[in-house]
Structure formats: structure tokens, C-alpha cells
Amino acid sequence: MKKVEVFGTGCKTCIATEDMIKNKAKSIGVEIDLYHIHDPVEIASRGIMTTPAVIVDGTLVHKGGLPHDAEIEGWIK
Amino acid sequence: MLEIFTALADAVTYDLLRVDSQTRLGEAVHFFIEDTAKIFFLLTFLMLIVGFLRSWVSPEKVRYWLEGKPKMIAYALAVILGAVTPFCSCSSIPLFIAFLSSGIPLGVTMAFLITSPMVNEVAAILFGEAIGWHFTLAYVVVGMATGMVGGMFIDGLKLEKWVEPFVFQVKRADGELNEPQITIKKRFSHAWDETVDILKRVWLYVLIGVGVGAGIHGFVPQEWFITHAGTDNVFAVPLAVLMAVPLYSNVTGVVPVAEVLMEKGLPVGTTLAFIMSTVAISLPEIVILRKVLKPPMLVFFIVYLALAFIIVGYGFNWLYQ
């Protein structure tokens, strides 16, 4: 199971990103381990300064703005 | 090239709508059509280019470039990069913590944080179109100078005491996070998304702003502003700065109005002060920073910006008298 981390301090785009990933995983039937990290100290100490950012199994795959639907499938499959 | 919009407004106003060109209504309608068409065209076209070009800079890269630089170079870099690097207000806290934990001085970090929202690309484009591209230049230069001087004050006055102490205990992230791989195609699609997003956010303000502008253009007599808000009125500049505070984020609506106000005789400096406070003094965004900055620092921040714009206003009024 892939570990997907969404980093965001609570802005609309960050929440939408988390929802998009959740929905995508459900619709293609892939189980993922999804976390949403809100704490700015943890976000900063992971080296992230642009939110929302997405890290899948330790690799940064996205930052800033909403991801595209097709991209998400590529990350979690 | 932009004459095409005058021709379009001519055709729609006089031929299609059959409004008499000699009437006030005719002038107002013509102004509205010409300006909305021109603004939407320029915004779309220039935002695509800006969005594409700036996909090469990011706060993460800025931090890397600023780390360990001599102070003067770091200040200059911070405001130049601040002018071109976008970041959303919800990223400002992690950004602030990450900069300080990498040893970037507080003054330099603040110079970046002040400049980045103040030099706003949408405002710059609208400014150039409405008032003239040399004012875009004045706006950008003044914005960077305000950021740099603000940062230097914070550094000189040793205002680290007004930063929440936990920030200084955060350790710098080990190792570099690699940037995600971006193809040219993805940069374009990113720029496109961003442009659509901005248009969606601002279209209504543009229409309202141009509508109000068109009304003033057609119906308010020339002498009104010269009498009430000309250079003779010493309170005009501070008043303009104060009035701009609640208008935050509606800069797209404010610029078309400012264009007409200038045409009706509102002095350059007063207009510049008004627009800059609209863009930069944003109470909700300043309050977000409360998580890392103590209240006196927030007050300092707001008072400094207001004073800076008042000085800019008087200065430009004097220069262009």
C-alpha cells in the first residue's frame, strides 16, 4: 500500500487536493495510506514551502495548485 | 495594436447599440466596452506568458539561492525574487519558518514576504494598460524598495524579539527535496490553469471596476477631483491609503477606476499610493502571520506599509507636479 502525504495549512486548494486523491483511490479501487499534514513546522522541516504539496512513498510528486485528475492515477497506481 | 479595441467599441456602441457618440451615455458605454475587452485580452495573453516563465522559480529555489549570501546581495535578491515568485498566502507560514531555519536573516525573509504580494503581476499588467507602462516600472521599483527598506528596518531594530520563539528552534530539513519533474508541456498547462483561475477570480471585479470607471468617465465633471483631491489637498494621500485598506484583493476592480480618476485630474502619487495600499495592506493575510509574529510586529508591519505609501504618494505628486 502506498503512503500518500498531502501537505497544507488548511487552505481550500489543499483540502480539495486531499479529496481528489481520496476519490480517485476509491474510484479505481486502490487502497492507500493517506495523511494530511497541517502543522506548518512539520511542513517547513520537510523542506516544503509551496502548498498543497504531495509526497508519495517519500518522493515529491506535486506542489502548488490543484493536481490534474490523470496525474493522481499515475501516483497511486 | 490595441486600437482594435477602440474600433470594436466604436462598432458596438455606435453601430450596433446605436447610442449617440455625443452624449454622456455614449461616452460611458464606449469606455466600458473598450476597457473590458482590452483588459480581458491583456490579462489572458500576458498571464499565460508570466505563468509559463515563472514556473522556473519557486520559494524552495529562492531559499537555496539566498542561503549564505552576504546581506546586501541577499536583500537585493530577496526583493527581485519576491517580485517574480508567487506563493499563496496559506504557504506563508511554512515559508517563513523554512527561511529562518536555514539561517536566512529575519530582515531578508521579511523583505521577501513584503515584496512578493505587493508586486502583483495582475496589478502590473492592468497598471500598464490603464495608466502607462512607465508607471508599471515605477510600481515595481517602488514595491521592491519598500520591501528592502522594511526588511532593513526590521534587521536594524533587531525585531527578532517580535517573532514567536518556537520558530528559531526549528531545525533545517536534512537533504534537499527534489523538485518534481516538469515537462515544457506541463509548464504550459500549469500556466493555463493559473490564468483560468485568475480570470475566474477577477472577472466580476473587472466588470464592476470598469463599470464604475465608465460612470465616472461619462458623468462626473472634470473639476470635481481637482477641487477635492488635487495636490492642494494635503490629506488626499493619507486618505487614499486608508480608503484602500478594505478594498483588498479587488485591485483588478480598482485600477480601471484609478485610470479614470487620473484622467479627471487625480494626481499620480495619490493614485499610486491608493493602488499600492489596495494590493499590499491586506489585513486577512497579515493576520495569518500572527502564528509566527507577535502582535507588535503585525502593527509595525501595517504602520510601516501605510507610512511608506504615504511617502510614495507625496513623493510622486511632487515629482510630477
Side-chain angles (χ1 to χ4, degrees), chain B residues 94-166:
Chain B
L95 190 149
F96 182 84
I97 299 172
F99 271 38
L100 285 190
S101 68
S102 321
I104 295 173
L106 178 66
V108 175
T109 305
M110 289 304 286
F112 179 81
L113 273 180
I114 295 172
T115 313
S116 187
M118 184 154 45
V119 181
N120 169 302
E121 64 290 345
V122 176
I125 291 170
L126 289 175
F127 221 14
E129 186 278 320
I131 302 166
W133 294 100
H134 54 294
F135 283 114
T136 300
L137 189 70
Y139 161 69
V140 172
V141 170
V142 166
M144 295 202 295
T146 311
M148 197 187 277
V149 174
M152 286 172 171
F153 264 124
I154 289 169
D155 195 45
L157 297 171
K158 304 218 180 312
L159 298 186
E160 279 84 359
K161 57 181 184 239
W162 286 345
V163 173
E164 291 293 346
F166 80 88

Side-chain angles (χ1 to χ4, degrees), chain B residues 213-225:
Chain B
I216 299 174
H217 176 84
F219 296 98
V220 177
Q222 187 82 40
E223 306 73 42
W224 197 90
F225 285 104

Side-chain angles (χ1 to χ4, degrees), chain B residues 187-200:
Chain B
R187 288 180 198 276
F188 259 120
S189 90
H190 224 90
W192 175 250
D193 289 348
E194 214 175 50
T195 306
V196 171
D197 189 52
I198 287 174
L199 286 176
K200 266 196 212 155

Side-chain angles (χ1 to χ4, degrees), chain B:
Chain B
M1 184 187 81
L2 297 173
E3 291 83 40
I4 186 172
F5 296 102
T6 316
L8 173 82
D10 282 344
V12 176
T13 320
Y14 309 134
D15 301 336
L16 197 71
L17 299 172
R18 302 203 173 276
V19 184
D20 189 352
S21 65
Q22 299 306 316
T23 59
R24 287 178 163 183
L25 180 69
E27 270 186 45
V29 172
H30 187 276
F31 178 92
F32 183 81
I33 294 171
E34 180 176 350
D35 253 43
T36 21
K38 204 160 52 177
I39 287 176
F40 280 118
F41 168 78
L42 279 173
L43 267 185
T44 312
F45 180 68
L46 294 175
M47 279 311 301
L48 272 178
I49 298 176
V50 170
F52 179 68
L53 291 179
R54 70 178 186 191
S55 65
W56 272 274
V57 287
S58 66
E60 289 83 355
K61 283 186 189 161
V62 171
R63 177 177 75 164
Y64 176 74
W65 290 327
L66 287 181
E67 262 179 299
K69 291 276 183 314
K71 234 177 212 172
M72 283 322 291
I73 296 175
Y75 271 116
L77 265 179
V79 295
I80 294 170
L81 294 169
V84 297
T85 312
F87 70 88
C88 120
S89 59
C90 58
S91 305
S92 51
I93 302 291
L95 190 149
F96 182 84
I97 299 172
F99 271 38
L100 285 190
S101 68
S102 321
I104 295 173
L106 178 66
V108 175
T109 305
M110 289 304 286
F112 179 81
L113 273 180
I114 295 172
T115 313
S116 187
M118 184 154 45
V119 181
N120 169 302
E121 64 290 345
V122 176
I125 291 170
L126 289 175
F127 221 14
E129 186 278 320
I131 302 166
W133 294 100
H134 54 294
F135 283 114
T136 300
L137 189 70
Y139 161 69
V140 172
V141 170
V142 166
M144 295 202 295
T146 311
M148 197 187 277
V149 174
M152 286 172 171
F153 264 124
I154 289 169
D155 195 45
L157 297 171
K158 304 218 180 312
L159 298 186
E160 279 84 359
K161 57 181 184 239
W162 286 345
V163 173
E164 291 293 346
F166 80 88
V167 174
F168 295 106
Q169 275 139 34
V170 177
K171 295 236 161 33
R172 190 198 185 293
D174 294 332
E176 286 298 323
L177 257 191
N178 291 319
E179 296 268 322
Q181 287 295 320
I182 313 182
T183 57
I184 292 286
K185 201 179 139 210
K186 205 174 162 199
R187 288 180 198 276
F188 259 120
S189 90
H190 224 90
W192 175 250
D193 289 348
E194 214 175 50
T195 306
V196 171
D197 189 52
I198 287 174
L199 286 176
K200 266 196 212 155
R201 259 188 297 144
V202 306
W203 70 271
L204 188 61
Y205 296 121
V206 172
L207 291 187
I208 294 173
V210 179
V212 172
I216 299 174
H217 176 84
F219 296 98
V220 177
Q222 187 82 40
E223 306 73 42
W224 197 90
F225 285 104
I226 299 177
T227 327
H228 294 91
T231 32
D232 295 339
N233 183 349
V234 282
F235 297 111
V237 172
L239 217 66
V241 169
L242 271 179
M243 273 168 57
V245 175
L247 289 174
Y248 168 69
S249 89
N250 304 336
V251 66
T252 33
V254 168
V255 176
V257 179
E259 170 189 7
V260 180
L261 296 183
M262 271 184 79
E263 176 197 296
K264 297 270 180 188
L266 190 71
V268 178
T270 315
T271 313
L272 192 63
F274 181 65
I275 297 184
M276 295 204 75
S277 356
T278 311
V279 188
I281 307 185
S282 135
L283 296 181
E285 286 186 12
I286 293 174
V287 169
I288 290 183
L289 290 171
R290 171 66 193 92
K291 277 187 196 159
V292 283
L293 301 177
K294 293 183 179 168
M297 184 71 125
L298 300 184
V299 174
F300 174 86
F301 199 11
I302 296 166
V303 172
Y304 168 73
L305 287 180
L307 284 180
F309 299 143
I310 291 172
I311 293 170
V312 166
Y314 285 132
F316 272 78
N317 280 350
W318 178 76
L319 268 177
Y320 280 86
Q321 223 167 26

Side-chain angles (χ1 to χ4, degrees), chain A:
Chain A
M1 196 162 28
K2 280 189 175 167
K3 181 180 177 192
V4 181
E5 294 164 291
V6 178
F7 295 79
T9 47
C11 65
K12 257 201 243 159
T13 323
C14 308
I15 297 166
T17 304
E18 186 191 356
D19 288 343
M20 280 174 82
I21 296 174
K22 215 186 277 171
N23 294 339
K24 191 80 206 171
K26 210 184 253 173
S27 74
I28 59 173
V30 174
E31 267 197 58
I32 52 169
D33 220 358
L34 184 63
Y35 300 87
H36 194 145
I37 291 107
H38 295 278
D39 178 20
V41 171
E42 190 179 347
I43 297 176
S45 51
R46 296 281 292 269
I48 291 166
M49 280 163 262
T50 316
T51 54
V54 182
I55 292 186
V56 178
D57 284 344
T59 312
L60 180 72
V61 292
H62 175 81
K63 65 182 177 102
L66 275 182
H68 284 227
D69 212 47
E71 279 176 294
I72 301 178
E73 195 167 335
W75 304 336
I76 58 177
K77 243 187 173 165

